[in-house]
Amino acid sequence: MGISQEFRLPDTLRQWPWSRKLNPNYEKVKAESKAWLESFHAFPPKAQNAFNRCDFNLLASLAYPDASAEHLRTGCDLMNLFFVFDEYTDVCDAQEARKLADIVMDTLRNPDLPRPQDESIVGEITKQFWLLARESSVQSAQDVFIETFDTYTSSVVEQAEDRVTHHIRDVESYLEVRRDTIGAKPSFALLHLGSELPTDFLSHPLVEYITTITIDLLIIGNDICSYNVEQARGDSAHNMVTIVMNSMCLNLDEALLWISNLHDILVDLFLETYGVIRRELPMFKASDAAASYIDGLGNWVRANDCWSFESERYFGQQGVMIQEKRIVELTSYTL
C-alpha cells in the first residue's frame, strides 16, 4: 500500500553564475560511447534500456562543454564506467566490492595486459576505456586520474560495508566518505586531459579548498535529487537527506531546509574563493590551463544539476517540469 506526500526541492543554484552549456559533439559522441558500452552486454536488455535513459553521456557533454570530440569520448566512457561499477557494487557485499575494485585498479595500472577470461566484464570495460583515454591525455592527468580513481573505488567498498551493516553515518563522517564515492576527483582530472597544469597547482591550498567546496556542492545537488528514488527502494542510507534527518532528528522538510542553508553558505564560499584565486594566485593568471580548470569546477556544479533533471535518472519523464516547479511526489512503500 502506498503513502504519498509532496516535498519541495530547494532551488540551490538560483544565483549560480555558470549557465548551462552543452558540448556540440554530444549527439555524435553519445552514439559512439553508447554503442561501445552496449557491446559488452554488461546488463540484460531491460536493465540496459533503463541505463540508457539515464543518459550519462549527457552528463559528460554538460560537464565538458568545450572538450574536443576525442576528450569528450573519454568523458562519456568514464561516466558510463562509473555507473557500471556503481551498479555492480550496489548489489554486493564489501568483499565482492573489493574484488571488483581490485580488478578495475589492476586494469588501469596494467592496461596492456590481457584480462582473465573468467573475470567480471568490468575489467575489460576499464581496459578499453583507459587504452583509448591514454592516447589523448598528458601524463600528469593520467597520474592524477589513477590516484584519485583508486581512492574512489576504495570508498565504494567502504560504502558497501555500510550498506551491509545498515550503518548510518553522521554528517561529518558521511561527507568524508561521500567526497570520494561521488567520483568527482577523477572526473576533475579530465578537465586537464590535454594540457599540463602548473607544478603544484592542484596541491595549492586555495585550489584544494575550492575543489572540496565544489565536491560538497555536487554531493548536495546529487543527494537531494536522488533521495526520492533511493528511499523508495530502501537504499537511502548513503544520502545526505537521510543523514541529516537521522542525526538531527528532523523531518524531511526540515532536513531539506538545513541542507539548503548549508548549500547557500557553500555557494558564497566558492564564489569568494574563486575571486581570491583569480586576483591573487599567480599560477591562475599565468596559465590558461589553470584558469580553465577552475572555471571547469564551477561548470561541473551547473552540469550536474541540469543532468539530474534532463535525464530520466531521478525523475523519469517529469524532470524538466520538476526542475521548474520544484515539487516532487514522495512515495514510500510498506509491506
Side-chain angles (χ1 to χ4, degrees), residues 28-320:
K28 173 180 178 293
V29 177
K30 171 185 175 178
E32 295 171 352
S33 188
K34 178 176 176 289
W36 169 76
L37 184 67
E38 290 180 351
S39 72
F40 297 104
H41 304 289
F43 303 105
K46 183 177 180 180
Q48 183 66 59
N49 183 51
F51 186 92
N52 290 343
R53 292 200 303 272
C54 295
D55 200 353
F56 300 113
N57 302 294
L58 174 63
L59 175 57
S61 299
L62 291 164
Y64 311 111
D66 299 316
S68 65
E70 61 182 352
H71 286 160
L72 179 60
R73 174 62 191 272
T74 296
C76 288
D77 289 355
L78 174 60
M79 295 304 116
N80 287 317
L81 171 60
F82 267 133
F83 290 100
V84 170
F85 183 72
D86 279 354
E87 291 295 313
Y88 276 42
T89 55
D90 273 350
V91 294
C92 63
D93 59 21
Q95 184 177 6
E96 289 301 313
R98 170 46 63 191
K99 290 180 181 178
L100 289 172
D102 289 345
I103 288 171
V104 168
M105 292 314 304
D106 179 67
T107 306
L108 288 174
R109 295 186 175 108
N110 303 284
D112 297 311
L113 297 179
R115 304 311 305 170
Q117 289 188 351
D118 60 347
E119 184 179 78
S120 167
I121 194 62
V122 171
E124 186 61 28
I125 294 173
T126 304
K127 175 181 178 175
Q128 293 193 22
F129 154 72
W130 193 232
L131 286 175
L132 184 61
R134 287 194 314 174
E135 294 179 3
S136 61
S137 306
V138 297
Q139 188 61 50
S140 61
Q142 294 180 38
D143 294 342
V144 170
F145 179 85
I146 291 178
E147 178 185 354
T148 54
F149 210 86
D150 190 16
T151 303
Y152 156 70
T153 58
S154 293
S155 70
V156 171
V157 176
E158 192 172 354
Q159 179 185 350
E161 180 64 32
D162 284 354
R163 183 173 58 250
V164 170
T165 60
H166 305 289
H167 176 51
I168 299 180
R169 296 170 176 265
D170 59 25
V171 174
E172 183 177 355
S173 65
Y174 170 70
L175 284 174
E176 287 178 3
V177 68
R178 184 67 170 126
R179 286 173 183 142
D180 292 320
T181 62
I182 198 170
K185 295 173 185 176
S187 300
F188 295 163
L190 271 60
L191 292 172
H192 60 106
L193 274 184
S195 54
E196 298 283 356
L197 290 169
T199 304
D200 300 327
F201 174 76
L202 292 176
S203 61
H204 190 283
L206 281 173
V207 177
E208 289 186 335
Y209 183 55
I210 200 170
T211 299
T212 300
I213 295 171
T214 304
I215 294 171
D216 287 353
L217 290 168
L218 292 173
I219 290 170
I220 292 175
N222 178 268
D223 284 10
I224 63 174
C225 286
S226 66
Y227 174 74
N228 192 31
V229 294
E230 290 176 354
Q231 65 81 31
R233 64 175 184 248
D235 186 29
S236 63
H238 195 70
N239 185 294
M240 193 167 187
V241 178
T242 298
I243 300 294
V244 171
M245 290 172 67
N246 184 73
S247 62
M248 300 183 184
C249 299
L250 301 177
N251 63 32
L252 177 57
D253 291 332
E254 292 168 340
L256 287 170
L257 178 60
W258 188 92
I259 293 170
S260 177
N261 290 336
L262 173 61
H263 194 283
D264 289 346
I265 293 171
L266 291 171
V267 166
D268 290 342
L269 288 173
F270 182 99
L271 297 177
E272 178 183 347
T273 307
Y274 180 76
V276 173
I277 290 174
R278 286 178 59 90
R279 293 191 305 270
E280 301 179 13
L281 192 62
M283 287 183 284
F284 180 92
K285 297 179 178 180
S287 168
D288 290 341
S292 177
Y293 181 87
I294 298 299
D295 185 71
L297 297 180
N299 178 71
W300 243 109
V301 176
R302 175 64 70 187
N304 184 67
D305 183 76
C306 289
W307 170 78
S308 296
F309 295 102
E310 293 176 29
S311 78
E312 296 184 28
R313 175 72 169 176
Y314 303 128
F315 305 113
Q317 297 180 352
Q318 305 300 312
V320 175

